[in-house]
Amino acid sequence: MPKNSKVTQREHCNQHVTESVADLLAHEEPIDHKASALNVSGEDSQPKLLEDSSELEDRPAWNNKLQYILAQIGYSVGLGNVWRFPYLCQKNGGGAYMVPYLILLIIIGIPLFFLELAVGQRIRRGSIGVWNYICPRLGGIGYASCVVCFFVGLYYNVIIGWSIFYFFQSFQYPLPWNECPTVKNGSVNVVEAECDKSSATTFFWYREALDISNSISESGGFNWKMTLCLLVAWIMVCMAMIKGIQSSGKVMYFSSLFPYVVLICFLVRGLLLRGSVDGILHMLTPKVEKMLDPQVWREAATQVFFALGLGFGGVIAFSSYNKQDNNCQFDAVLVSFINFFTSVLATLVVFAVLGFKANLMNEKCVVQNAEKILGYLNTQEISYNLIPPHVNFSHLTTEDYAEMYQVIKTVKEDSFQNLHLDACVLEDELDKAVQGTGLAFIAFTEAMTHFPASPFWSVMFFFMLINLGLGSMIGTMSGIITPLIDTFKVRKEILTVSCCIVAFLLGLIFVQRSGNYYVTMFDDYSATLPLTIVVTLENIAVAWVYGTKKFMQELTEMLGFRPYAYYFYSWKYVSPILMAILLTVSVIQLGISPPGYSAWIRELATEQFVLYPTWALSILITLIIVAILPVPVIFILWQFQLIPDGSNKLSVSYKKGMMKDISNLEDNDETRFILSKVPSETPSPMPTHRSYLGPANASPLDLGGASNGRYGSGYLLATTPESEL
């Protein structure tokens, strides 16, 4: 028998041959060999394989690396960076909060962000296709991501609608929330009672903008101003998404960069305001004892988790349009730290402005209480001997008032409570925690009324919020549209318009007079627990079902270098443990915290915490169940073989590369192609690199029994790691 024959080669080969070219393709759908790329008979037909190959060529791609990075930044940097991170920093010890946040960003955030970037870039599909390939039994992860994205998109665009309303209201001087409106009481104009009891900015937000009802049970009909703004917001999103990344990528150049211009302008302007340094020093002063509080670490982990947009599917969708050799390890670190520094920049801006506002409010407090003291002096309830001789009531400073307050409090200890005097301490004003809509639409707007040229700054601020929200909405909608297009092969224009129309119609629930309470419900419950479960399952699917060594080997072949071993240990051990702890704590927190919301009581002009009624609790529970339901449903259907298994299909890119290489082989080179014995003589559809051996220097072929040959490509393989489940 000739030495170079197939049989002789296989007898002398020290590696057992289990597959031939036919075996590799055995799991594929039947192919008409006359129409195959292997057909060299010259018969005229339409090759099905080449049609499939054209799908890869037609898949959109980013114009350049900058466009992709801006898209990821625009998606991850959102409204939460502007109003959630500063609030948590203020609440959890100022500078001390940044220490656990940065630690958890490195331990949890970056590895999981890199994982999503890697699987998206490797498999080049949306979340449904990615997780259906990684592990078909856990294919429900992709569908759960789409459901959560849909829930978040519904209410997130309402916030953009609110920003649009304030944006157009800012084109007037003075700003409409500058002072309380007056109403006629007979022949006399009096200040609106609700505004008089609260403040001008609070009244404008709750009454003029939202026209809010007293509870979630009182729908109150539609707020037509906000309905129109919501329609405008969805039209903007639809126009940005209509052409896929060809349109959204161009939008990102502006929507991702413009917020930084505004934040830097606000920081410079804020530093020139009186009292801004007090706010920044308050932020930077660490309260070290807070670092020992487990609640601080839980909130830091949750913020890291949501700041990067993990689990939504947007990260996977964006990275699926990348080139195969893109350095996604570098991208993960870059985007994560840009996100962190953006949060710090936004926090500096917020505390500079809040420091200015706190000084104004403290001075107002001093003036009001000084008038009370003068009244007590005139009625002789307080003796003039208690007033320090250097105190001048016409130019009373905060230090003079603090001294006078302490003297009166010491002498009048028994009757001091009856005087109703306030301490007017600046620290107390700075410690008043404001977050979310309260920060953006009340505290910040109030501070801007004291800015010179206040309409200009108001226009810039709300235009920035619109751009931040739009960047996040593009990523959120990509997490829905991209996997659906990849899975069901529908036209993206039709799907995009349909999704936006359906979302607008369902979003009408948020523009009722009680709509703000539904926004709170969706924000608190529709995403937090479901996304924690989704990301935990993502980590388990890659690290323990698919195999960390196998995944690292494939990344080595894709990137051309070995990812740091740190990621191996993080994915396999650290992240799953920490995610399990976070999930457990989140469930416990959900169980012990009474489900309720802050209702604005018109008659009292104040907020009150109110428990959700029974029907609202049913909606709340339904949101959580519906978001998680795809995971067990797909698992059961696949387990009992009630759905077709499409997981073993080779990806388009692999089929195209393999067919091209096989067609160029000599007949006696088939075995050498399969075994990759001589890489220089056997072209491969993927570049050959050093295989990742894992921390224990295990053989790259030791993949838990999965027969994936030496191609090492998650979406280039003929089989899936189902045997490992």
Side-chain angles (χ1 to χ4, degrees):
M1 185 174 293
K3 183 178 180 180
N4 62 347
S5 70
K6 297 177 185 178
V7 176
T8 305
Q9 287 181 3
R10 290 177 181 174
E11 289 175 349
H12 289 82
C13 178
N14 58 4
Q15 180 178 353
H16 181 61
V17 178
T18 60
E19 294 176 330
S20 66
V21 174
D23 295 329
L24 281 175
L25 298 177
H27 300 293
E28 279 295 275
E29 296 177 354
I31 298 177
D32 181 4
H33 295 286
K34 293 183 179 181
S36 168
L38 295 178
N39 176 32
V40 292
S41 63
E43 294 184 25
D44 187 18
S45 62
Q46 296 295 327
K48 179 179 178 181
L49 180 64
L50 296 182
E51 290 177 359
D52 293 337
S53 299
S54 66
E55 294 178 15
L56 179 67
E57 296 172 353
D58 294 339
R59 185 171 182 81
W62 299 106
N63 291 336
N64 50 64
K65 182 65 174 283
L66 176 62
Q67 190 180 77
Y68 164 68
I69 293 296
L70 290 178
Q72 290 286 13
I73 292 172
Y75 174 52
S76 64
V77 175
L79 297 174
N81 297 76
V82 175
W83 63 37
R84 179 68 178 170
F85 186 90
Y87 159 73
L88 292 174
C89 190
Q90 181 183 26
K91 175 187 174 185
N92 296 318
Y97 171 75
M98 294 188 186
V99 175
Y101 182 88
L102 191 57
I103 292 174
L104 292 171
L105 176 66
I106 296 173
I107 294 177
I108 295 180
I110 295 178
L112 293 180
F113 191 56
F114 179 31
L115 184 145
E116 290 202 355
L117 290 178
V119 296
Q121 180 174 313
R122 188 61 166 165
I123 301 175
R124 302 202 72 188
R125 292 294 181 269
S127 57
I128 294 176
V130 163
W131 300 113
N132 192 45
Y133 177 79
I134 292 290
C135 176
R137 285 189 176 90
L138 294 178
I141 295 175
Y143 291 96
S145 294
C146 289
V147 173
V148 173
C149 276
F150 187 69
F151 286 161
V152 171
L154 285 178
Y155 76 84
Y156 203 89
N157 223 24
V158 175
I159 301 175
I160 299 179
W162 294 342
S163 301
I164 291 172
F165 175 78
Y166 268 80
F167 173 75
F168 286 108
Q169 289 291 321
S170 300
F171 287 96
Q172 49 187 307
Y173 184 81
L175 291 170
W177 52 84
N178 185 59
E179 56 185 19
C180 287
T182 57
V183 293
K184 281 196 174 184
N185 186 6
S187 59
V188 181
N189 288 335
V190 295
V191 176
E192 174 71 45
E194 185 181 4
C195 185
D196 191 39
K197 293 177 183 177
S198 53
S199 67
T201 51
T202 304
F203 173 81
F204 187 87
W205 166 242
Y206 283 116
R207 192 55 50 210
E208 296 294 334
L210 299 180
D211 193 18
I212 199 167
S213 60
N214 282 2
S215 72
I216 195 173
S217 300
E218 304 173 23
S219 68
F222 287 112
N223 181 337
W224 294 107
K225 293 179 291 186
M226 287 303 169
T227 303
L228 182 61
C229 290
L230 179 63
L231 177 61
V232 173
W234 276 113
I235 291 174
M236 290 170 57
V237 172
C238 185
M239 295 300 292
M241 294 291 300
I242 193 72
K243 293 295 184 182
I245 63 171
Q246 277 75 21
S247 56
S248 62
K250 294 180 175 63
V251 172
M252 286 298 182
Y253 281 115
F254 183 80
S255 64
S256 298
L257 295 175
F258 179 75
Y260 289 96
V261 176
V262 176
L263 285 174
I264 292 173
C265 291
F266 262 97
L267 180 61
V268 174
R269 184 68 189 91
L271 291 174
L272 299 177
L273 295 172
R274 178 170 47 88
S276 61
V277 176
D278 295 327
I280 293 177
L281 289 177
H282 180 76
M283 181 202 82
L284 296 177
T285 303
K287 299 176 182 177
V288 182
E289 66 277 5
K290 285 281 189 179
M291 293 179 60
L292 303 178
D293 186 357
Q295 181 72 4
V296 174
W297 288 83
R298 186 191 72 83
E299 293 190 343
T302 305
Q303 178 62 16
V304 167
F305 181 71
F306 288 103
L308 296 175
L310 299 174
F312 284 95
V315 173
I316 294 176
F318 281 159
S319 63
S320 71
Y321 300 121
N322 266 335
K323 295 179 180 179
Q324 280 289 293
D325 58 351
N326 175 64
N327 188 351
C328 54
Q329 177 180 257
F330 172 78
D331 297 343
V333 177
L334 177 66
V335 174
S336 298
F337 277 102
I338 288 178
N339 185 291
F340 171 69
F341 289 122
T342 303
S343 298
V344 174
L345 174 62
T347 303
L348 288 173
V349 171
V350 167
F351 274 86
V353 174
L354 291 183
F356 167 68
K357 177 178 176 289
N359 273 270
L360 290 178
M361 299 304 295
N362 198 53
E363 290 173 1
K364 183 179 179 180
C365 175
V366 168
V367 171
Q368 291 175 345
N369 284 272
E371 291 176 354
K372 290 182 182 180
I373 293 174
L374 284 174
Y376 294 142
L377 290 173
N378 292 334
T379 58
Q380 297 184 351
E381 290 186 48
I382 295 178
S383 171
Y384 279 95
N385 295 329
L386 300 180
I387 308 301
H390 63 276
V391 171
N392 183 357
F393 278 89
S394 60
H395 296 88
L396 188 64
T397 64
T398 55
E399 291 80 7
D400 290 342
Y401 174 78
E403 182 182 354
M404 184 170 53
Y405 176 86
Q406 288 298 328
V407 172
I408 296 173
K409 183 178 181 180
T410 303
V411 176
K412 292 282 188 178
E413 184 176 357
D414 296 334
S415 59
F416 181 77
Q417 295 294 333
N418 299 327
L419 298 178
H420 303 290
L421 295 177
D422 298 318
C424 297
V425 179
L426 182 62
E427 289 295 319
D428 293 340
E429 287 292 337
L430 290 171
D431 281 333
K432 290 181 180 179
V434 183
Q435 69 162 322
T437 55
L439 175 63
F441 298 105
I442 298 177
F444 225 84
T445 52
E446 183 175 350
M448 285 188 294
T449 58
H450 301 284
F451 283 18
S454 55
F456 169 78
W457 294 104
S458 183
V459 168
M460 293 282 284
F461 176 72
F462 289 108
F463 194 38
M464 177 191 71
L465 292 187
I466 293 171
N467 279 274
L468 284 173
L470 184 61
S472 297
M473 273 302 297
I474 289 174
T476 301
M477 293 302 293
S478 295
I480 303 172
I481 294 172
T482 298
L484 292 181
I485 291 175
D486 291 340
T487 304
F488 301 106
K489 309 301 180 185
V490 295
R491 286 189 58 186
K492 58 176 172 286
E493 294 86 356
I494 296 176
L495 180 61
T496 301
V497 173
S498 300
C499 284
C500 291
I501 292 174
V502 171
F504 168 72
L505 294 176
L506 293 177
L508 292 177
I509 190 177
F510 302 108
V511 291
Q512 303 175 95
R513 291 183 58 199
S514 59
N516 186 49
Y517 305 136
Y518 287 97
V519 171
T520 302
M521 177 193 291
F522 272 67
D523 188 36
D524 290 342
Y525 297 102
S526 70
T528 306
L529 184 60
L531 278 183
T532 308
I533 295 174
V534 165
V535 176
T536 303
L537 291 176
E538 287 182 356
N539 196 169
I540 293 173
V542 171
W544 290 96
V545 178
Y546 193 75
T548 312
K549 288 183 179 179
K550 183 190 305 182
F551 186 59
M552 290 290 281
Q553 176 192 352
E554 294 174 1
L555 290 186
T556 303
E557 295 179 353
M558 179 178 74
L559 300 176
F561 61 87
R562 298 180 184 178
Y564 296 119
Y566 164 76
Y567 292 111
F568 179 94
Y569 293 107
S570 180
W571 290 332
K572 194 170 183 65
Y573 303 111
V574 180
S575 295
I577 293 173
L578 292 180
M579 288 303 300
I581 294 173
L582 178 60
L583 178 59
T584 304
V585 173
S586 298
V587 172
I588 295 173
Q589 185 73 19
L590 190 65
I592 64 177
S593 299
Y597 62 100
S598 295
W600 178 257
I601 310 302
R602 182 171 190 169
E603 293 74 21
L604 302 177
T606 187
E607 287 184 335
Q608 288 185 355
F609 184 79
V610 181
L611 295 177
Y612 284 113
T614 304
W615 63 268
L617 284 175
S618 301
I619 295 177
L620 184 154
I621 295 171
T622 302
L623 288 175
I624 298 175
I625 293 176
V626 169
I628 297 301
L629 195 59
V631 176
V633 168
I634 297 297
F635 183 89
I636 293 172
L637 292 177
W638 205 95
Q639 183 72 19
F640 293 98
Q641 300 180 355
L642 299 178
I643 55 176
D645 175 20
S647 63
N648 288 333
K649 293 183 179 181
L650 292 171
S651 80
V652 174
S653 59
Y654 185 67
K655 288 190 291 187
K656 180 180 179 181
M658 193 171 75
M659 287 301 180
K660 179 180 178 181
D661 290 327
I662 294 176
S663 64
N664 293 330
L665 290 175
E666 296 292 334
D667 183 64
N668 61 355
D669 285 334
E670 178 186 349
T671 303
R672 191 165 45 184
F673 177 82
I674 298 299
L675 299 177
S676 297
K677 299 296 289 183
V678 187
S680 61
E681 299 179 6
T682 56
S684 170
M686 293 298 294
T688 56
H689 304 291
R690 293 182 63 187
S691 297
Y692 181 79
L693 299 180
N697 293 326
S699 170
L701 293 176
D702 184 15
L703 303 176
S707 56
N708 286 325
R710 290 175 53 87
Y711 298 109
S713 173
Y715 70 102
L716 303 181
L717 307 180
T719 59
T720 55
E722 272 308 295
S723 59
E724 299 182 23
L725 185 60

